[in-house]
């Protein structure tokens, strides 16, 4: 299938190709047309059309498919509307577990909708932001309603959220130990890694990481490499400049 996602929506061709898509009712639950989630249902109003077309970040979908095994426990930090959580729930199967960490209420509603319309029983939503502390904090709402971060200008629109760290959840509160953690939390990635020091040292999960500045990329790599991880680029860029990383423990089997 032709991949509209590869054509910028700022171009004339991109706008023309997307014009018919904008006419579709946002309440429609479409069948995903291709990719690893083909046949599952996705609400058209829950994000980019590439989600239900099945073309969204095809390379990343393959990374998930190579990383997540049946019966795995997957944490999705910054789950947004739940596309990668859905993919993880499909890949890990009914004997696995997927936990979507998402502090924004609108996003949580979308995730719960996708769980319901697809009858998933191995996927649940955790309404927390993830950092290195346990506290209540202001969460900055981004320019788009579906985006936000603990890091940012607190003079803008904010909501109050509960913040936690993975070490506390896994070793004090009885949460399952993850085999894979996806992190895309708009600048708080270093704090989340610092708050998972024991998880990284003992559980040795694979980390799929989006970084949001060069400084954060370098610091994230340093944390992971100090914990005995091999860090590689996910987007065919040089590792020193790539903002999409995968980290596998040296004592594990790299994909």
């Amino acid at each position: 299938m032709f991949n509209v996602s590869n054509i910028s929506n700022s171009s004339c061709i991109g706008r023309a190709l997307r014009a018919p898509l904008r006419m579709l009712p946002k309440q429609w639950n479409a069948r995903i047309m291709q990719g690893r989630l083909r046949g599952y249902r996705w609400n058209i109003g829950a994000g980019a059309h590439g989600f239900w077309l099945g073309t969204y970040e095809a390379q990343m979908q393959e990374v998930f498919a190579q990383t997540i095994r049946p019966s795995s426990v997957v944490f999705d930090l910054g789950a947004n509307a739940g596309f990668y959580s859905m993919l993880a729930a499909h890949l890990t199967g009914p004997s696995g577990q997927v936990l979507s960490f998402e502090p924004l209420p609108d996003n949580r509603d979308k995730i719960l909708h996708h769980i319901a319309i697809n009858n998933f029983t191995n996927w649940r939503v955790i309404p927390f932001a993830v950092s290195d502390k346990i506290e209540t904090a202001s969460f900055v709402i981004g320019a788009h309603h579906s985006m936000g971060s603990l890091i940012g200008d607190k003079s803008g629109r904010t909501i109050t959220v509960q913040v936690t760290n993975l070490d506390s959840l896994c070793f004090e509160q009885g949460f399952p130990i993850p085999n894979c953690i996806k992190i895309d939390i708009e600048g708080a990635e270093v704090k989340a890694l610092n708050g998972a020091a024991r998880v990284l040292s003992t559980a040795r999960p694979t980390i799929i990481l989006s970084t949001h500045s060069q400084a954060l990329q370098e610091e994230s790599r340093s944390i992971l490499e100090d914990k005995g991880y091999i860090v590689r680029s996910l987007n065919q860029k040089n590792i020193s400049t790539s903002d999409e990383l995968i980290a596998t423990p040296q004592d594990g089997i790299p994909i």
Side-chain angles (χ1 to χ4, degrees):
M1 180 179 290
F2 179 66
N3 190 347
V4 177
S5 301
N6 287 336
I7 301 176
S8 171
N9 60 9
S10 63
S11 69
C12 292
I13 294 176
R15 289 194 295 272
L17 289 171
R18 287 173 173 82
L21 301 179
R22 288 193 288 270
M23 300 174 64
L24 296 172
K26 293 187 181 299
Q27 68 271 22
W28 181 32
N29 298 317
R31 293 284 181 183
I32 296 176
M33 299 182 68
Q34 64 174 330
R36 292 284 175 175
L37 287 173
R38 181 179 178 180
Y40 285 94
R41 300 173 74 191
W42 182 267
N43 176 249
I44 282 185
H49 291 292
F51 290 132
W52 67 271
L53 292 172
T55 58
Y56 182 76
E57 294 186 351
Q59 181 184 9
M60 184 69 83
Q61 291 189 49
E62 290 307 306
V63 169
F64 265 60
Q66 294 174 47
T67 303
I68 298 171
R69 303 286 182 255
S71 301
S72 294
V73 175
V74 182
F75 286 4
D76 186 357
L77 277 54
N80 200 282
F83 183 80
Y84 283 116
S85 291
M86 184 187 294
L87 180 55
H90 164 66
L91 292 168
T92 195
S95 61
Q97 296 185 64
V98 176
L99 277 63
S100 296
F101 290 82
E102 180 51 61
L104 282 176
D106 285 350
N107 284 343
R108 291 201 302 272
D109 289 344
K110 292 181 176 69
I111 295 171
L112 290 169
H113 179 73
H114 289 135
I115 291 172
I117 63 175
N118 290 288
N119 299 311
F120 280 106
T121 60
N122 62 342
W123 175 13
R124 59 187 171 121
V125 185
I126 311 300
F128 297 158
V130 178
S131 186
D132 56 350
K133 299 176 181 177
I134 300 174
E135 61 182 2
T136 300
S138 293
F139 190 85
V140 180
I141 307 298
H144 190 276
H145 69 87
S146 67
M147 298 179 66
S149 175
L150 289 169
I151 310 297
D153 182 3
K154 300 297 177 71
S155 64
R157 183 182 168 212
T158 64
I159 60 172
T160 299
V161 301
Q162 183 64 45
V163 181
T164 191
N165 67 71
L166 296 188
D167 282 348
S168 173
L169 289 180
C170 293
F171 297 109
E172 298 174 12
Q173 300 182 46
F175 275 60
I177 304 296
N179 303 107
C180 178
I181 305 173
K182 173 227 151 195
I183 305 174
D184 186 359
I185 49 178
E186 304 295 329
E189 49 268 30
V190 166
K191 290 181 178 294
L193 291 172
N194 283 331
R198 188 177 171 191
V199 169
L200 296 175
S201 295
T202 62
R204 313 300 281 156
T206 298
I207 307 296
I208 298 172
L209 176 68
S210 295
T211 60
H212 293 82
S213 75
Q214 185 64 33
L216 289 169
Q217 193 262 25
E218 293 172 358
E219 193 170 355
S220 296
R221 283 176 57 199
S222 177
I223 292 169
L224 290 164
E225 288 168 354
D226 285 348
K227 293 291 185 184
Y229 277 78
I230 300 169
V231 184
R232 291 171 291 131
S233 171
L234 274 181
N235 52 14
Q236 299 181 336
K237 294 182 180 179
N238 185 288
I239 186 63
S240 63
T241 58
S242 177
D243 56 356
E244 302 283 348
L245 305 174
I246 183 167
T248 52
Q250 293 184 20
D251 47 352
I253 301 174
I255 66 170

